[in-house]
Amino acid sequence: MNFIITGASSGIGYQTALAIANDKRHTIIAVSRNKEKLDALSIEAKIVNPNSNLIPLVYDISPDIENNDLLVFAKKELGNVDVLINNAGLLINKPFKELTISDFESVYKINVFGVVKTIQSLLPVMGNPNTHIVNIGSIGGVEGSMKFKGLSAYSSSKGALAILTECMAEEFKEMNISVNYLALGSVQTEMFSEAFPGSRAQVKPKDMAKYIVEFAINGADFMNGKIIQVSKSTP
Ligand SMILES: NC(=O)c1ccc[n+]([C@@H]2O[C@H](COP(=O)([O-])OP(=O)(O)OC[C@H]3O[C@@H](n4cnc5c(N)ncnc54)[C@H](OP(=O)(O)O)[C@@H]3O)[C@@H](O)[C@H]2O)c1
């Protein structure tokens, strides 16, 4: 299968890219803004599996950067995309009264508009039977879940992404594209440390990656437009 994952330079995205590359039947474009970290990922992928097909791409998903590099690269390297994992994310931890509109814009630009930009860019190379878009959301973006101080911008952006997932699933039905949302609980990464300084998450990125890969490959057989909670930590 042909995969694209954003946010592959660290945390959950890094381990997910590595897990996909571990199967030589798959080809994966691993996206982030950081060339050095992507190079490290490519090297590790080859060590784990010398036959791996992991192709790094330095690319910014922010809508501030206007170009069609992602589509051109995907066409050239993959031809068609079977699975897109929108994993890149940004978290700002600040009390609501200190959050500026610019903070909200920064977070929404990556967590919502960046996903919109990525999907719109790649639609021309999607549409094989069972194409799957997996949006990596947060348990904090689910209505009725426990909320945490300082995460208004982040959690509300993930809430917007959840509804967007349901809307896109409806619109893409005729195009053979399923869209689902994984509402992750806490995973031990840099972002988790930013959100909860001094705390330890119950799940390691490598373990969460296994779940995401399995879901990305098989989830579209059973689900479309679904918000799935993947959390041990919060109700
Ligand atoms: N860790 C948790 O507890 C947790 C819980 C719920 C949901 N999540 C979600 O899981 C996803 C991964 O989070 P993580 O914890 O693994 O975070 P992380 O370690 O901070 O990784 C974030 C990734 O996003 C990428 N990114 C940020 N801005 C980007 C941009 N403009 N263009 C391209 N890539 C960009 C970063 O790459 P560069 O900086 O190299 O570009 C990095 O690879 C996020 O969507 C997050 O919201 C995490």
Side-chain angles (χ1 to χ4, degrees):
M1 291 175 97
N2 292 336
F3 290 76
I4 296 186
I5 185 167
T6 63
S9 63
S10 75
I12 297 163
Y14 186 100
Q15 292 299 336
T16 304
L18 212 51
I20 292 165
N22 198 21
D23 185 334
K24 70 171 192 296
R25 291 171 300 174
H26 300 322
T27 302
I28 177 164
I29 295 178
V31 174
S32 109
R33 294 164 301 177
N34 189 311
K35 184 177 182 317
E36 288 71 32
K37 288 186 181 174
L38 287 179
D39 287 344
L41 171 65
S42 304
I43 291 166
E44 191 171 348
K46 277 287 172 212
I47 293 168
V48 172
N49 173 15
N51 297 316
S52 62
N53 302 301
L54 184 147
I55 310 158
L57 174 65
V58 176
Y59 177 80
D60 191 334
I61 68 163
S62 166
D64 286 347
I65 317 291
E66 281 185 39
N67 61 46
N68 64 352
D69 290 4
L70 183 60
L71 175 62
V72 170
F73 197 76
K75 262 188 187 159
K76 178 170 151 275
E77 299 292 343
L78 304 179
N80 74 285
V81 176
D82 299 306
V83 178
L84 166 65
I85 305 175
N86 286 305
N87 166 78
L90 178 68
L91 181 148
I92 294 179
N93 183 357
K94 261 191 204 178
F96 180 80
K97 63 179 189 233
E98 290 171 26
L99 275 169
T100 62
I101 293 298
S102 167
D103 288 330
F104 271 94
E105 280 174 352
S106 301
V107 171
Y108 276 64
K109 259 183 195 169
I110 303 310
N111 296 354
V112 185
F113 308 141
V115 175
V116 171
K117 177 185 151 184
T118 305
I119 293 172
Q120 287 184 339
S121 305
L122 291 172
L123 280 177
V125 281
M126 291 181 150
N128 274 0
N130 249 4
T131 301
H132 196 192
I133 298 173
V134 180
N135 292 326
I136 301 297
S138 167
I139 195 80
V142 175
E143 196 183 16
S145 69
M146 189 188 289
K147 298 296 183 288
F148 296 94
K149 287 177 183 162
L151 302 184
S152 318
Y154 173 76
S155 296
S156 62
S157 74
K158 292 293 189 179
L161 181 60
I163 300 296
L164 192 61
T165 299
E166 295 176 333
C167 296
M168 287 188 294
E170 190 54 37
E171 288 209 21
F172 296 170
K173 267 181 189 164
E174 287 80 28
M175 295 152 67
N176 287 318
I177 302 172
S178 298
V179 195
N180 289 301
Y181 176 105
L182 295 179
L184 305 189
S186 56
V187 183
Q188 193 62 46
T189 65
E190 282 172 34
M191 186 183 286
F192 176 80
S193 303
E194 173 69 32
F196 304 104
S199 300
R200 291 223 45 93
Q202 290 180 26
V203 177
K204 296 193 183 88
K206 202 172 180 175
D207 296 327
M208 186 55 86
K210 272 189 215 153
Y211 181 85
I212 293 171
V213 175
E214 160 70 21
F215 181 78
I217 293 171
N218 297 313
D221 291 342
F222 307 99
M223 288 173 242
N224 187 23
K226 297 293 176 280
I227 310 303
I228 301 118
Q229 300 187 22
V230 190
S231 174
K232 291 171 90 167
S233 49
T234 52

